[in-house]
Amino acid sequence: AVVVLLCNGALSLADSLQLPAGGALLVATTTHGAWLHPPRQEGLREVQHAGRGTTWVGPLLPLRAGGGGGGGGAARVAGVPEVASSSSAELAAARFAAAGLGAVVEGGGQTSRRLWLKLAANAVLNPLTALWNVRNGEVLRRPDGRRIAADVCAEIAQVCAAAPPAAATPSPSARELEAFVEDCASENADNWSSMHQDLHHGRRTEVEHLNGWVARRARELGTRAEANDALAEQMRRAEAAKGQTG
């Protein structure tokens, strides 16, 4: 079996994932933007493709320095040989292409680096769009948005540098993370983020796998991620105010 993980917070989820016997675990990241329209009739939902981006797919490598969460989950993920996963990635990319969403296949080091870039975009745009009730493109138009983005990216770069992927690929700098956030905000300017949609429809958000994970991992590494911690706490309060329970 080939399992493709295509979701926000993949670095956090990797801490607890286990592979099925003989299975291959891949991770995909995408900058496509989409959101669900309200249902027009029972059982019918329309998806709005609000921003065309790029999708990348490849094997998931463990983090150095023991992985996050203390559970050793990343080591289990490492059990898939990169050669086998690369072959599986080609198959997954073909499936994406058949749906009109062609994917670029990358090696493990590139994939891991891509996850940190995507984490930065999600950790900036998702909570701010939810808290401010705006679309992606509005966030970096605001001075507060640009300031928070810089702080969030600096903290993510620090955490990544302290526990980089188990590969020779260089960790992304704070400026590289910021540039990726800017690209995502531009490509998906008219999109409502997943966190915005979840908060405003009474669902629990993924903030614990984004800003919350960055803050927890920073503490494990003996440092702090105050901007990420603050956004996670604001989202927890916003969820509580709307009565989210699951």
Side-chain angles (χ1 to χ4, degrees):
V2 177
V3 178
V4 181
L5 189 63
L6 178 57
C7 61
N8 295 337
L11 286 168
S12 170
L13 291 174
D15 289 342
S16 57
L17 284 175
Q18 282 186 288
L19 295 173
L25 178 64
L26 303 171
V27 62
T29 57
T30 187
T31 56
H32 284 279
W35 52 276
L36 282 171
H37 285 282
R40 297 184 180 180
Q41 65 185 67
E42 186 67 26
L44 179 63
R45 301 296 297 273
E46 292 185 4
V47 177
Q48 177 69 43
H49 190 185
R52 179 162 290 278
T54 304
T55 300
W56 301 267
V57 61
L60 182 63
L61 297 182
L63 300 176
R64 290 184 187 142
R76 290 193 293 272
V77 172
V80 180
E82 186 169 335
V83 172
S85 290
S86 296
S87 174
S88 300
E90 295 285 355
L91 176 60
R95 296 293 176 87
F96 280 115
L101 301 170
V104 177
V105 176
E106 295 185 318
Q110 294 170 306
T111 298
S112 296
R113 192 172 191 276
R114 185 82 57 190
L115 286 175
W116 288 99
L117 293 169
K118 188 61 162 54
L119 173 63
N122 290 143
V124 171
L125 299 177
N126 289 22
L128 292 180
T129 53
L131 293 167
W132 295 347
N133 193 24
V134 298
R135 297 179 191 255
N136 288 344
E138 177 63 21
V139 171
L140 298 183
R141 296 186 188 121
R142 300 186 180 191
D144 280 354
R146 293 193 296 274
R147 175 184 56 78
I148 294 170
D151 291 343
V152 167
C153 289
E155 292 172 0
I156 292 175
Q158 184 179 31
V159 169
C160 182
T169 307
S171 300
S173 67
R175 182 60 200 128
E176 287 176 296
L177 296 174
E178 284 187 67
F180 189 80
V181 174
E182 292 165 3
D183 288 344
C184 288
S186 175
E187 290 177 355
N188 293 282
D190 292 331
N191 192 42
W192 295 105
S193 77
S194 56
M195 195 175 294
H196 174 278
Q197 293 289 282
D198 286 341
L199 181 66
H200 291 275
H201 288 87
R203 299 186 292 261
R204 181 174 295 176
T205 75
E206 75 269 53
V207 71
E208 297 299 345
H209 295 290
L210 300 174
N211 309 86
W213 181 79
V214 174
R216 291 192 299 275
R217 187 138 182 88
R219 286 192 290 272
E220 292 170 3
L221 294 168
T223 183
R224 300 177 68 183
E226 294 180 353
N228 282 278
D229 210 1
L231 286 174
E233 182 57 31
Q234 290 176 59
M235 282 302 306
R236 292 181 194 115
R237 292 175 182 172
E239 288 183 6
K242 285 188 171 286
Q244 279 98 327
T245 58

